[in-house]
Amino acid sequence: MKIIKEGFFKALTVFFCCVIIALVIGFIFDAVQLAATIGFGLGLVWMGVAYFNQKDS
C-alpha cells in the first residue's frame, strides 16, 4: 500500500510554479502580498487538480 501516489511530486511542482510565478508578478507590479495570496490559492487548487486527476496504474 502506497501512502503517496506517484504524481504527488509532479503536483507539488505545479504548486511551487504557481507560487513563484505569482511572486514574480507581485514584484513587477509592487503588490507582493496580494500576488502571494493569489499564487498560494491557485497553487493549492491546481495541485489538487494535478493530484486527483492522475490515472492509477
Side-chain angles (χ1 to χ4, degrees), residues 1 4 7-8 18 21 28 31 33-34 38 44 46 49 55:
M1 182 173 123
I4 297 176
F8 176 73
C18 286
I21 290 170
I28 291 171
Q33 186 174 4
L34 177 65
I38 291 171
L44 284 178
W46 284 110
V49 169
K55 303 277 190 250

Side-chain angles (χ1 to χ4, degrees), residues 1-54:
M1 182 173 123
K2 284 188 175 180
I3 294 175
I4 297 176
K5 291 184 182 180
E6 292 178 9
F8 176 73
F9 293 108
K10 184 185 253 185
L12 199 61
T13 304
V14 169
F15 170 75
F16 282 118
C17 285
C18 286
V19 170
I20 290 170
I21 290 170
L23 281 176
V24 168
I25 292 172
F27 278 121
I28 291 171
F29 292 107
D30 199 25
V32 175
Q33 186 174 4
L34 177 65
T37 305
I38 291 171
F40 189 78
L42 285 175
L44 284 178
V45 169
W46 284 110
M47 182 181 174
V49 169
Y51 184 72
F52 290 115
N53 200 27
Q54 64 184 328

